[in-house]
């Protein structure tokens, strides 16, 4: 029985909400040591795992309903690869953005309850670059990182969800891939690879986070489109060649007998 479009869109909203809330909360609330609580910060590894594990959990929760894109770069890449209709792509992207914005609003309510809280630059786990951001990397570095790492992420997604892949392991592999990407890219750009994940926090943070938001739409979408083209031109062709090769070998075996 086919799932109704509205149900799929709601699944994408909920999945993106959980990804952004859990991942950004880990970064903002638990990333560093809390006042009076020694060794309480989870650090770079913990934040990376929070994002990666959120994807794993959502993959097995909303994946059977919507495919668990929870990322506009993924949905647009799937549209380019012919795996998603334009109507569903639009519905997915809108739902993902709404879910991310709601999650950021909830995160704001959580952190604003701490005495002395102020909204600084790049608040709520916003992405960015430059002298005021984490590793102080340039815009060029941030753009390259977001493009290349989104490309890698989408190639993993295409590979683990291909017909010959083991579907039971797809969610775990995709989540681990996001964990690795976060480990590598957080100091550079905060490791977005997801326009919705960047949109929510930036709308609340304003300032530099909002002015730099364009990069976290353009670069991940570009990386996703490159991955779609690469997969269609190279990897799917390879699958076809492999199938034909198997058929040839089978014919040879039959003739020999």
């Amino acid at each position: 029985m086919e799932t109704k479009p509205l149900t799929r869109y709601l699944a994408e909203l909920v999945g993106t909400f959980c990804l952004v809330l859990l991942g950004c909360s880990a970064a903002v609330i638990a990333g560093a040591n809390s006042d009076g609580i020694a060794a309480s910060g989870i650090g770079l590894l913990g934040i990376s795992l929070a994002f990666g594990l959120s994807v794993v959990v959502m993959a097995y929760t909303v994946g059977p309903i919507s495919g668990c894109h929870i990322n506009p770069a993924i949905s647009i890449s799937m549209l380019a690869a012919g795996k998603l209709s334009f109507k569903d792509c639009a519905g997915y992207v809108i739902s993902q953005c709404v879910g991310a914005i709601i999650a950021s609003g909830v995160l704001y309510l959580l952190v604003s309850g701490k005495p002395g809280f102020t909204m600084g630059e790049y608040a709520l786990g916003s992405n960015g670059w430059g002298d005021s951001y984490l590793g102080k990397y340039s815009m060029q570095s941030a753009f390259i990182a977001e493009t290349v790492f989104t490309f890698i992420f989408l190639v993993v997604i295409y590979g683990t969800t291909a017909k010959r892949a083991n579907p039971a392991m797809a969610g775990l592999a995709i989540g681990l891939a996001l964990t690795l990407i976060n480990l590598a890219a957080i100091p550079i750009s905060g490791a977005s690879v997801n326009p919705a994940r960047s949109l929510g926090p930036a709308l609340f943070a304003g300032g530099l986070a909002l002015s730099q938001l364009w990069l976290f739409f353009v670069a991940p979408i570009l990386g996703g489109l490159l991955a779609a083209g690469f997969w269609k031109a190279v990897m799917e062709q390879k699958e076809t060649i492999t199938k034909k090769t198997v058929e040839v070998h089978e014919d040879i075996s039959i003739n020999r007998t």
Side-chain angles (χ1 to χ4, degrees), residues 21-99:
L21 180 61
L22 295 173
C24 291
S25 292
V28 174
I29 299 172
N33 289 343
S34 299
D35 296 339
I37 306 176
S40 59
I42 60 176
L44 177 62
L45 177 59
I47 296 168
S48 300
L49 283 170
F51 279 102
L53 290 175
S54 296
V55 167
V56 173
V57 172
M58 288 301 105
Y60 296 112
T61 304
V62 304
I65 301 171
S66 67
C68 189
H69 293 189
I70 59 176
N71 181 338
I74 294 175
S75 297
I76 293 171
S77 181
M78 293 292 174
L79 172 65
K83 298 178 181 291
L84 190 69
S85 69
F86 180 83
K87 177 184 176 182
D88 278 342
C89 181
Y92 274 36
V93 170
I94 293 171
S95 300
Q96 292 153 3
C97 291
V98 171

Side-chain angles (χ1 to χ4, degrees), residues 61 79 119 135 177 188 196 250:
T61 304
L79 172 65
M119 285 282 283
I188 303 172
E250 288 177 350

Side-chain angles (χ1 to χ4, degrees), residues 85-217:
S85 69
F86 180 83
K87 177 184 176 182
D88 278 342
C89 181
Y92 274 36
V93 170
I94 293 171
S95 300
Q96 292 153 3
C97 291
V98 171
I101 293 169
I102 296 173
S104 299
V106 172
L107 178 56
Y108 172 77
L109 293 175
L110 292 175
V111 298
S112 62
K114 183 177 180 179
F117 168 78
T118 57
M119 285 282 283
E121 291 285 4
Y122 303 109
L124 305 183
S126 296
N127 298 104
W129 74 81
D131 293 336
S132 302
Y133 193 82
L134 298 179
K136 304 182 187 301
Y137 284 84
S138 67
M139 181 183 73
Q140 177 180 326
S141 295
F143 193 94
I144 293 172
E146 291 295 323
T147 302
V148 172
F149 286 126
T150 307
F151 173 85
I152 294 171
F153 191 38
L154 263 298
V155 169
V156 171
I157 291 171
Y158 282 121
T160 55
T161 57
K163 290 182 180 179
R164 294 184 298 159
N166 182 353
M169 297 299 294
L172 179 60
I174 294 167
L176 288 174
L178 185 59
T179 300
L180 292 171
I181 288 168
N182 273 266
L183 285 170
I186 282 178
I188 303 172
S189 63
S192 172
V193 301
N194 183 339
R197 175 259 180 273
S198 298
L199 174 65
L203 288 179
F204 284 86
L208 287 175
L210 190 58
S211 68
Q212 295 176 352
L213 180 61
W214 66 269
L215 185 146
F216 301 101
F217 272 77

Side-chain angles (χ1 to χ4, degrees), residues 2-26:
E2 186 178 354
T3 307
K4 294 180 180 179
L6 181 58
T7 304
R8 296 199 300 272
Y9 303 158
L10 287 174
E12 287 295 306
L13 188 154
V14 171
T16 312
F17 170 85
C18 292
L19 170 65
V20 174
L21 180 61
L22 295 173
C24 291
S25 292

